[in-house]
């Protein structure tokens, strides 16, 4: 058996086949059934830096990004990464700032694992996975540099913008976290918040005035918004952007949130298996390296799309 | 209705349509690879996705299996960002449950369920953007998805809404027209036989006007059928070219 052969995977029962079958997969994610021979084929391939679809270990699948797909949101984006299909809508609503941060707005994340992705998500079936992803998103944005929250403040202690970032999972074909983080970044890039002014009269009562010009908007700087790079440990090597089949072969993976400068804002180990400390550092280095490249290409893609202007032919789900 | 004129003296509606005119419909079949059948439809600014899984074994409790026909299981959900004001939950609220039941009723009338006894067919619809006529868009998307899955049906199911303003029946209401609060009729039609799979009307309407509104909705549903038929034929043609036939 190929798994557990390398030094990467520790833990006594890790070589047992049923552990492999269960591991690397989140509670209720869409699953694939793989035979022992198929797994050996995948694991041996990864050791030779050649994956089933012909990619190398540090290659992403082709990513399709389109912004401004839902017109009644402040910003939206759709990302297709292999068979993984994500739609993100951002809605800006006015609210009161949090007590501990009176001069900042905030972001709220919600992930809907819709039954479209797999029948297992019907009813409340997708709630666990949705909460897990939403919590990860909260964590990667939980630092001062990701988004300039002060720009979302309208008047301290009274009014601020709340950005509701709603993620809709339409199809899952592996590597959910990376696809979602790319979609969130693209949607935040696309977000336009109406400009408001606070007018104060002599008696001290405040009035909020919305700009007359619908194009008079503020935009967020997404320069420091991190993207997640998930590194899947397969055998004694690790791969980025694993497909469902590869995820089924992996015992554990490491999730690294990297900014465009290579700063890590969050790190998590996911999956049932265990990882040894050396491989964690190794995976982190790969994550930073791959993350920087990912950011550069995403940024150029977003700017290119924007330069086409409002006359761009929208494709959406029709293309 | 203060301030808003739904139908001008010249016979134009708020968005410039004539009374019996549909909004622009664009659709595509086979959007997703993993599902058995899927489709996407845009009716004006209303956008809906439908996915079909099955027929497959009954999931969960075996007691739900029907000995003589397939169980049709529908879930309606609407994205939290789909409406003007953000929704708190995508599904599970009263309106979504009701929509799910209506869809189930509609498709039980159309799918030849007796061909697949003791099995289950899942139809999941997801509204991405809501601008009036969500029920109709969902039914139309689901029809295409069921066809894409290759599940035998009696006929297409084509749905359309209709309203009634100033003595004129309006077909395919937009959100503005729905929000104005007049009578609304939702109709799902099996166009070949002219049978009605679902009919629902809310608000008050004089009996004498019902026939006119019903006729407007049925005519619009037949127009929808022409369009959907075109989409299906185009899709099959493309698929057969890819298969090399």
């Amino acid at each position: 058996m190929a798994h557990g052969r390398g030094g990467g995977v520790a833990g006594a029962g890790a070589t047992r086949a049923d552990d492999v079958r269960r591991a690397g997969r989140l509670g209720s994610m869409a699953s694939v059934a793989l035979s022992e021979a198929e797994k050996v084929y995948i694991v041996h391939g990864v050791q030779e830096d050649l994956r089933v679809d012909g990619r190398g270990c540090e290659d992403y699948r082709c990513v399709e990004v389109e912004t401004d797909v839902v017109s009644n949101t402040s910003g939206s984006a759709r990302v297709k990464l292999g068979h993984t299909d994500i739609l993100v809508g951002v809605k800006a609503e006015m609210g009161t700032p949090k007590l501990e941060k009176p001069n900042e707005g905030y972001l709220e994340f919600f992930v809907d694992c819709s039954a479209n992705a797999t029948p297992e998500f019907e009813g409340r079936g997708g709630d666990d996975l949705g909460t897990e992803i939403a919590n990860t998103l909260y964590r990667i944005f939980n630092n001062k540099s990701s988004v300039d929250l002060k720009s979302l403040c309208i008047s301290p202690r009274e009014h601020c913008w709340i950005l509701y970032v709603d993620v809709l999972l339409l199809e899952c074909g592996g590597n959910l976290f990376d696809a979602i983080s790319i979609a969130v970044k693209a949607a935040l890039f696309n977000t336009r918040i109406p400009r408001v002014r606070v007018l104060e009269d002599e008696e001290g009562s405040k009035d909020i005035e919305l700009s007359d010009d619908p194009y008079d908007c503020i935009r967020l700087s997404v320069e420091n918004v991190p993207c997640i790079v998930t590194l899947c440990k397969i055998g004694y090597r690790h791969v980025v952007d694993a497909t469902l089949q590869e995820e089924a072969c992996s015992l554990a993976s490491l999730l690294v949130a990297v900014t465009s400068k290579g700063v890590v804002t969050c790190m998590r180990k996911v999956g049932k298996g265990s990882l040894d400390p050396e491989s964690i550092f190794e995976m982190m280095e790969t994550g930073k390296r791959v993350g920087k490249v990912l950011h550069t290409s995403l940024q150029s893609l977003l700017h290119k799309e924007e330069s086409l202007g409002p006359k761009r032919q929208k494709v959406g789900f029709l293309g | 209705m203060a301030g808003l004129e739904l139908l001008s003296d010249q016979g134009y509606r708020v968005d410039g349509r004539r009374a019996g005119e549909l909004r622009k419909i664009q659709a595509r079949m086979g959007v997703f690879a993993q599902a058995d059948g899927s489709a996407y439809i845009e009716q004006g600014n209303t956008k809906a996705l439908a996915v079909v899984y099955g027929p497959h074994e009954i999931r969960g409790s075996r007691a739900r299996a029907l000995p003589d026909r397939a169980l049709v299981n529908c879930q309606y959900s609407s994205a939290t960002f789909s409406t003007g004001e953000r929704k708190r939950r995508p599904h599970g609220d009263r309106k979504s449950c009701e929509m799910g039941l209506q869809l189930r009723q509609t498709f039980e009338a159309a799918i030849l369920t007796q061909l697949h006894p003791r099995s289950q067919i899942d139809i999941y619809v997801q509204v991405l953007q809501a601008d009036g006529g969500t029920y109709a868009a969902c039914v139309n998307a689901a029809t295409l998805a069921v066809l894409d899955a290759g599940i035998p049906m009696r006929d297409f199911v084509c749905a359309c809404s209709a309203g009634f303003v100033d003595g004129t029946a309006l077909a395919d209401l937009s959100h503005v027209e729905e929000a104005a609060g007049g009578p609304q009729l939702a109709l799902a039609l099996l166009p070949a036989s002219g049978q009605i799979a679902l009919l629902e009307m809310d608000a008050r309407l004089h009996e004498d006007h019902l026939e006119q509104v019903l006729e407007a909705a049925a005519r619009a549903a037949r127009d929808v059928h022409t369009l959907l038929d075109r989409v299906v034929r185009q899709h099959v043609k493309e698929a057969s070219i890819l298969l090399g036939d």
Side-chain angles (χ1 to χ4, degrees):
Chain A
M1 276 203 287
H3 26 262
R5 181 191 282 164
V9 183
T15 47
R16 286 215 329 269
D18 56 322
D19 277 301
V20 178
R21 202 163 296 137
R22 274 187 278 123
R25 203 186 294 157
L26 291 153
S28 57
M29 203 186 279
S31 48
V32 284
L34 283 191
S35 71
E36 213 49 55
E38 283 173 301
K39 277 181 189 160
V40 170
Y41 182 72
I42 291 174
V43 174
H44 282 186
V46 167
Q47 279 167 9
E48 306 291 326
D49 195 19
L50 187 63
R51 293 157 73 177
V52 177
D53 44 12
R55 286 181 290 158
C57 283
E58 293 184 11
D59 296 337
Y60 266 87
R61 286 170 283 181
C62 181
V63 191
E64 286 173 40
V65 183
E66 189 179 2
T67 58
D68 204 13
V69 279
V70 184
S71 56
N72 54 5
T73 56
S74 312
S76 60
R78 183 207 181 193
V79 165
K80 207 165 153 49
L81 176 66
H83 280 316
T84 305
D85 207 327
I86 310 286
L87 184 65
V88 173
V90 180
K91 262 187 188 297
E93 281 185 15
M94 224 181 263
T96 38
K98 289 182 174 166
L99 278 176
E100 64 273 21
K101 283 168 186 157
N103 52 1
E104 288 182 7
Y106 55 98
L107 274 71
E108 287 280 0
F109 293 98
F110 175 76
V111 181
D112 176 19
C113 297
S114 92
N116 276 26
T118 152
E120 290 157 43
F121 292 157
E122 196 189 330
R124 313 201 66 111
D127 286 8
D128 287 348
L129 180 62
T131 318
E132 184 184 348
I133 300 173
N135 285 342
T136 308
L137 288 173
Y138 275 116
R139 218 171 294 168
I140 70 167
F141 280 91
N142 182 21
N143 61 73
K144 289 218 159 46
S145 63
S146 289
V147 179
D148 179 22
L149 294 172
K150 288 208 169 68
S151 67
L152 296 176
C153 181
I154 300 165
S155 66
R157 280 186 302 280
E158 280 165 357
H159 297 287
C160 70
W161 287 110
I162 307 167
L163 293 185
Y164 288 98
V165 182
D166 293 316
V167 179
L168 183 59
L169 176 61
L170 295 170
E171 193 176 28
C172 54
N175 204 13
L176 282 182
F177 285 96
D178 295 22
I180 288 174
S181 72
I182 294 171
V184 167
K185 181 164 178 163
L188 287 175
F189 175 81
N190 182 236
T191 300
R192 278 150 179 85
I193 306 162
R195 201 182 292 278
V196 291
R197 276 188 303 160
V198 182
L199 306 170
E200 204 168 344
D201 60 15
E202 305 87 64
E203 287 139 37
S205 64
K206 286 175 182 166
D207 226 4
I208 292 179
E209 192 190 67
L210 193 70
S211 170
D212 294 329
D213 180 10
Y215 294 101
D216 188 14
C217 294
I218 50 170
R219 294 186 59 181
L220 287 172
S221 161
V222 293
E223 188 75 13
N224 291 319
V225 171
C227 274
I228 299 175
V229 178
T230 309
L231 298 128
C232 246
K233 188 94 189 173
I234 296 177
Y236 54 82
R237 288 189 78 146
H238 49 258
V239 299
V240 301
D241 189 26
T243 59
L244 269 187
Q245 284 80 5
E246 285 167 333
E247 277 176 3
C249 295
S250 144
L251 285 161
S253 37
L254 190 75
L255 195 148
V256 193
V258 206
T259 67
S260 53
K261 294 188 187 77
V263 179
V264 175
T265 68
C266 168
M267 191 169 81
R268 261 189 77 194
K269 188 226 120 200
V270 286
K272 288 226 173 87
S274 47
L275 295 168
D276 65 324
E278 285 115 83
S279 70
I280 289 189
F281 284 110
E282 215 175 282
M283 285 157 105
M284 222 171 83
E285 286 310 311
T286 316
K288 281 198 255 182
R289 194 167 56 238
V290 175
K292 272 191 199 165
V293 181
L294 179 68
H295 274 288
T296 330
S297 45
L298 179 62
Q299 217 106 32
S300 71
L301 197 78
L302 290 172
H303 285 295
K304 201 171 144 196
E305 191 184 38
E306 194 177 56
S307 67
L308 296 175
K311 287 201 195 79
R312 172 176 67 93
Q313 187 72 40
K314 281 183 190 153
V315 186
F317 292 86
L318 292 166
Chain B
M1 273 154 278
L4 191 66
E5 193 186 34
L6 289 181
L7 192 67
S8 72
D9 298 336
Q10 288 75 30
Y12 290 104
R13 291 155 71 175
V14 181
D15 48 10
R17 283 184 287 160
R18 289 280 188 186
E21 206 174 322
L22 291 173
R23 289 174 290 177
K24 184 178 183 184
I25 293 183
Q26 285 177 293
R28 191 179 150 223
M29 289 168 79
V31 188
F32 300 124
Q34 286 175 351
D36 293 315
S38 57
Y40 170 73
I41 198 164
E42 280 182 15
Q43 286 188 247
N45 279 326
T46 300
K47 297 171 186 171
L49 268 172
V51 170
V52 171
Y53 289 92
H56 56 72
E57 255 179 80
I58 294 270
R59 231 171 337 95
S61 150
R62 299 239 158 232
R64 292 199 305 154
L66 304 167
D68 57 339
R69 59 198 164 94
L71 178 83
V72 180
N73 174 40
C74 295
Q75 181 179 284
Y76 167 92
S77 58
S78 145
T80 41
F81 49 77
S82 63
T83 45
E85 197 162 322
R86 183 179 177 270
K87 285 182 53 162
R88 290 173 132 256
R89 293 169 69 183
H91 51 81
D93 55 331
R94 209 160 51 105
K95 196 190 159 225
S96 312
C97 291
E98 192 198 352
M99 279 286 214
L101 285 173
Q102 288 181 344
L103 282 170
R104 181 178 176 171
Q105 197 198 326
T106 312
F107 281 92
E108 272 178 343
I111 296 175
L112 297 172
T113 48
Q114 68 277 12
L115 295 179
H116 308 285
R118 289 181 300 281
S119 50
Q120 176 177 356
I121 297 166
D122 293 316
I123 302 175
Y124 301 121
V125 289
Q126 175 89 48
V127 172
L128 303 179
Q129 193 173 330
D131 183 35
T134 48
Y135 169 76
C138 288
V139 170
N140 297 335
T143 302
L144 292 179
V146 173
L147 285 167
D148 188 37
I151 296 172
M153 286 206 284
R154 260 178 212 102
D155 194 359
F156 281 69
V157 203
C158 298
C160 197
S161 60
F164 191 74
V165 173
D166 303 335
T168 317
L170 306 182
D172 194 16
L173 301 183
S174 69
H175 177 69
V176 182
E177 289 162 337
E178 275 184 0
Q184 263 179 61
L185 181 126
L187 172 83
L189 191 75
L190 304 174
S193 54
Q195 298 276 315
I196 289 170
L198 184 118
L199 177 66
E200 203 181 57
M201 208 195 69
D202 25 303
R204 215 170 71 136
L205 179 72
H206 195 282
E207 205 186 325
D208 294 350
H209 298 311
L210 181 63
E211 202 186 330
Q212 189 193 346
V213 180
L214 197 58
E215 182 47 44
R219 203 179 317 118
R222 276 190 211 100
D223 292 344
V224 171
H225 172 245
T226 321
L227 290 164
L228 296 190
D229 189 66
R230 200 179 295 162
V231 171
V232 174
R233 281 176 200 281
Q234 184 65 33
H235 178 76
V236 173
K237 197 193 268 177
E238 280 166 17
S240 61
I241 288 170
L242 287 176
L243 287 171
D245 293 343

